[in-house]
Amino acid sequence: MSLAIAALQVGYARQVVVHDVGAKLAAGTVTALIGPNGSGKSTLLKAVAGLLPHRGTVTLDDRVMGRDRGGAIAYLPQDTGVRAALTVLETVLLGRVRTLGLRLDPALVDDAARTLEGLGLASLADRAVGSLSGGQRQMVLLAQALFRAPRVLLLDEPTAALDLRHQLQVLELVRAQTSARATVTVVALHDLGLAARHADRLMCLSAGRIVAEGAASSVLTEERLRAVYGVEADIVAAREGALGVIPLRAVATGPRPG
Amino acid sequence: MSIALEHAMLAHRVRSQRRARRLLGCLGALVAVALVDLMTGPAMLTVEQVLDALLHGEGTADPMVGIIVHTIRLPMLAMAVIVGASLGLGGAVMQTILGNPLASPYTLGFSAAAGFGAATVILFGLSLPFAPWLTVPLAAFGATAAAAALVYGFARLRGATAEILVLAGIATLFLFQSLQSLLQYLASPEVLQQIVFWLFGSLIKASWSSVAVSGAILAVSLLVLLVHAWPLTALAFGDERARSLGIDVERLRVSMLLVVSLLTAGAVAFVGTIGFVGLVAPHLARILIGDDQRHLLPMSALCGATLMTAAAVVAKVLSPGSVVPIGIVTAVVGVPFLFVLIVRGRSRGE
């Protein structure tokens, strides 16, 4: 199974934000989408999820997807705010909102509870989702997405509001679920070290175009960080083959496309 | 199954049972208040007399009691229950689709529009030849539909986001309030009195025909809303997340808006403008039962009906021999009640 994006172009008003993006993403792999603020990461994810009108095609298993992609693609926005007094279990159940009836099927409730258990969140099931910490809420919303059993999982900055431990927990979980369920997973990330450590490959976006893709060691180079982020940085090898990115100073020229 | 999971499932079952008990409890409170309402009036009746009249129809031991209960008090009670339930339900949906605790059927100017429609036909003395009693309600209904169309038009032009709907609604509210004031300014003192009496809101205008029409609208609306209970619950996660769950958010908002306009028109067309129930009832319901719309919607309807019936009792007790318009009582009783809710804070997570 694979997800293919071809000639994808997205814009707001008259301004094109994502230009002619093409990519082929395999099942069971995690792709990290990196790039500076405003490079089009969120826009690209939303367009692939079918939440923004776009040109070009998104193909899943050789079938071009229509506008309604909610059945196959789960997209997690950056915002984790919840206005209502709902329990964690109800929140997870909402993942399958289109199939829920007035009387809840006990098998479905059981299934939702097992999803929580699989993520080590069973003890939170009856807590109000609004009373959870940012990290716990992020995990619950991830559980909601996984409960949908999506074939494609798109996550927008899932670690933005999390401490180090929760960052690791969330990304390890994403990685494990991607392998176990053979999903196509794309994660937009600002932290390049996390991207290098947890993704199978990186895709670097600059001014709405893909400027590099491949293994972390080939995408994360000092020249590219200078060109794309406008930053002078050291790339260092860490334990267990991980890469560390140490930003040193902003360079005067600033970021420029490609 | 792990112990934590068993605990979670048990807690879920306990919570569901507690919600069912609270719904039944509120239904019990409504029945009790309704009984008090039937007992209260210029002729005070005992519980036995009321029950006897209810059980034996007009062939009760004292025919006068039968007439009082069946001809005068029951239609008014039924109307109070239906109007309260409609406004409570409408308020709950408005607060959900607009993500705003201040929303009620008033927010989008629907009630003001109904008042304008009624004032227009009263001022010009218009009357339908085949059913004069339907003239004012139909005019109120038509004006509400016009207000809904106006808000809908805005939404079509700029997208049905909560902000656009609130802005369009407030503009509609001001428009119809100003038009209402203009009609009052133009009216002669006698006509002005009629218009003002209609605007106060009073159950005296209730009849079995109006009960049937408003009741049918309430029943159909409740069914439609319950079918959409889960998507409405999902709106609590914000538009973007709801959309990513596969919900057509704008379409949901606009269709629910139309249901609320229908509910509001059905509620106020026959009895006039009734304030506050639509704002307070959903807050009370949310404190009692939480935000799962499968329970919140019926609970809001029950709370609205109970509040409205209680206000009807107060209206009768306040001035023995005459009835203070219930529209005045709901606001006077509702304001301190809202203050209590604000001071106690909103309970979360029930």
Side-chain angles (χ1 to χ4, degrees):
Chain A
M1 189 184 83
S2 68
L3 180 80
I5 301 166
L8 199 82
Q9 185 166 313
V10 199
Y12 296 107
R14 284 186 195 148
Q15 196 192 353
V16 178
V17 180
V18 170
H19 300 266
D20 196 28
V21 164
K24 194 156 177 143
L25 309 166
T29 61
V30 177
T31 303
L33 196 58
I34 61 167
N37 288 337
S39 59
K41 300 188 295 293
S42 296
T43 304
L44 176 59
L45 288 184
K46 282 185 212 170
V48 173
L51 303 177
L52 285 177
H54 62 79
R55 288 193 189 158
T57 56
V58 176
T59 312
L60 185 64
D61 290 346
D62 303 324
R63 269 191 45 213
V64 176
M65 303 193 80
R67 202 170 151 230
D68 182 9
R69 299 171 192 169
I73 301 183
Y75 164 70
L76 255 88
Q78 208 171 333
D79 169 38
T80 60
V82 182
R83 285 198 299 257
L86 292 170
T87 67
V88 166
L89 189 66
E90 286 166 347
T91 303
V92 174
L93 279 166
L94 277 169
R96 292 199 203 158
V97 64
R98 298 210 284 197
T99 57
L100 295 175
L102 267 185
R103 273 194 74 83
L104 279 176
D105 178 3
L108 202 65
V109 178
D110 204 48
D111 205 8
R114 280 180 201 283
T115 304
L116 281 171
E117 190 183 35
L119 305 186
L121 301 172
S123 60
L124 299 181
D126 200 47
R127 289 266 302 274
V129 72
S131 72
L132 302 180
S133 71
Q136 288 171 324
R137 204 152 55 214
Q138 189 63 263
M139 303 273 273
V140 169
L141 292 172
L142 190 60
Q144 185 191 59
L146 292 173
F147 180 57
R148 297 165 67 182
R151 303 177 63 198
V152 180
L153 187 59
L154 308 174
L155 312 172
D156 195 354
E157 290 288 347
T159 57
L162 306 185
D163 61 27
L164 285 176
R165 184 185 166 80
H166 281 102
Q167 288 180 5
L168 279 177
Q169 258 181 348
V170 166
L171 290 176
E172 278 169 9
L173 199 76
V174 167
R175 189 144 196 144
Q177 294 292 328
T178 301
S179 309
R181 298 170 182 233
T183 50
V184 176
T185 302
V186 184
V187 192
L189 282 173
H190 266 308
D191 188 317
L192 301 178
L194 280 179
R197 176 103 178 97
H198 293 277
D200 297 297
R201 51 189 230 135
L202 268 57
M203 198 185 275
C204 181
L205 216 56
S206 177
R209 295 175 203 277
I210 293 178
V211 292
E213 60 177 309
S217 55
S218 70
V219 173
L220 294 181
T221 62
E222 287 168 13
E223 297 73 38
R224 183 157 293 117
L225 294 187
R226 174 186 281 269
V228 172
Y229 286 88
V231 162
E232 197 177 313
D234 270 352
I235 313 279
V236 293
R239 277 186 290 172
E240 298 175 20
L243 285 180
V245 178
I246 303 166
L248 299 172
R249 63 187 69 83
V251 291
T253 50
R256 59 178 190 273
Chain B
M1 197 182 267
S2 73
I3 294 174
L5 190 60
E6 272 179 38
H7 271 290
M9 297 299 282
L10 183 68
H12 173 74
R13 273 197 297 277
V14 169
R15 182 182 296 272
S16 303
Q17 286 162 2
R18 190 166 60 224
R19 284 174 175 168
R21 275 201 306 276
R22 288 190 178 172
L23 272 170
L24 280 175
C26 198
L27 185 63
L30 174 60
V31 170
V33 178
L35 206 57
V36 174
D37 179 74
L38 289 177
M39 292 158 59
T40 314
M44 298 298 278
L45 305 175
T46 63
V47 181
E48 291 80 16
Q49 280 176 310
V50 169
L51 289 178
D52 187 45
L54 285 178
L55 290 175
H56 298 102
E58 291 186 14
T60 179
D62 182 348
M64 190 55 93
V65 170
I67 290 170
I68 289 175
V69 170
H70 283 274
T71 317
I72 303 170
R73 293 191 190 168
L74 258 184
M76 280 170 68
L77 169 65
M79 203 63 197
V81 169
I82 290 167
V83 169
S86 300
L87 293 177
L89 199 56
V93 177
M94 290 291 257
Q95 289 174 10
T96 301
I97 61 173
L98 300 180
N100 189 332
L102 287 176
S104 78
Y106 275 41
T107 316
L108 297 191
F110 293 168
S111 299
F116 166 72
T120 307
V121 292
I122 294 173
L123 175 65
F124 294 108
L126 303 175
S127 177
L128 288 173
F130 55 92
W133 64 278
L134 262 180
T135 313
V136 172
L138 268 182
F141 209 91
T144 312
L150 205 61
V151 176
Y152 177 72
F154 263 107
R156 282 297 297 264
L157 280 177
R158 289 292 314 273
T161 62
E163 291 78 15
I164 292 290
L165 287 180
V166 170
L167 268 179
I170 288 180
T172 311
L173 176 69
F174 276 106
L175 172 69
F176 282 104
Q177 264 178 354
S178 308
L179 290 173
Q180 222 181 74
S181 302
L182 177 68
L183 294 184
Q184 289 181 20
Y185 175 74
L186 294 174
S188 66
E190 297 76 30
V191 174
L192 179 63
Q193 200 181 6
Q194 276 186 58
I195 293 177
V196 168
F197 183 71
W198 192 91
L199 291 177
F200 276 158
S202 170
L203 292 170
I204 287 180
K205 301 160 207 161
S207 68
W208 283 120
S209 335
S210 56
V211 164
V213 175
S214 300
I217 290 176
L218 172 64
V220 172
S221 304
L222 183 61
L223 273 180
V224 173
L225 292 172
L226 282 176
V227 168
H228 291 88
W230 279 110
L232 281 170
T233 306
L235 279 185
F237 289 95
D239 285 12
E240 195 167 72
R241 195 173 290 276
R243 221 171 273 136
S244 77
L245 290 173
I247 296 167
D248 188 338
V249 173
E250 302 215 331
R251 197 163 154 189
L252 177 70
R253 222 177 240 133
V254 168
S255 52
M256 293 300 103
L257 187 74
L258 292 178
V259 175
V260 174
S261 68
L262 197 65
L263 268 174
T264 311
V268 303
F270 292 103
V271 298
T273 324
I274 310 275
F276 244 78
V277 174
L279 179 66
V280 177
H283 283 286
L284 182 61
R286 205 170 285 118
I287 286 172
L288 289 170
I289 213 156
D291 271 301
D292 180 339
Q293 302 275 330
R294 290 176 305 148
H295 305 107
L296 180 65
L297 293 174
M299 193 59 157
S300 297
L302 278 176
C303 285
T306 310
L307 283 175
M308 185 77 181
T309 312
V313 174
V314 173
K316 285 194 263 189
V317 171
L318 272 183
S319 59
S322 70
V323 178
V324 177
I326 194 168
I328 297 173
V329 179
T330 51
V332 173
V333 174
V335 172
F337 194 72
L338 184 66
F339 283 160
V340 172
L341 292 186
I342 294 168
V343 171
R344 282 191 56 199
R346 216 175 139 212
S347 105
R348 304 199 68 89
E350 173 45 51

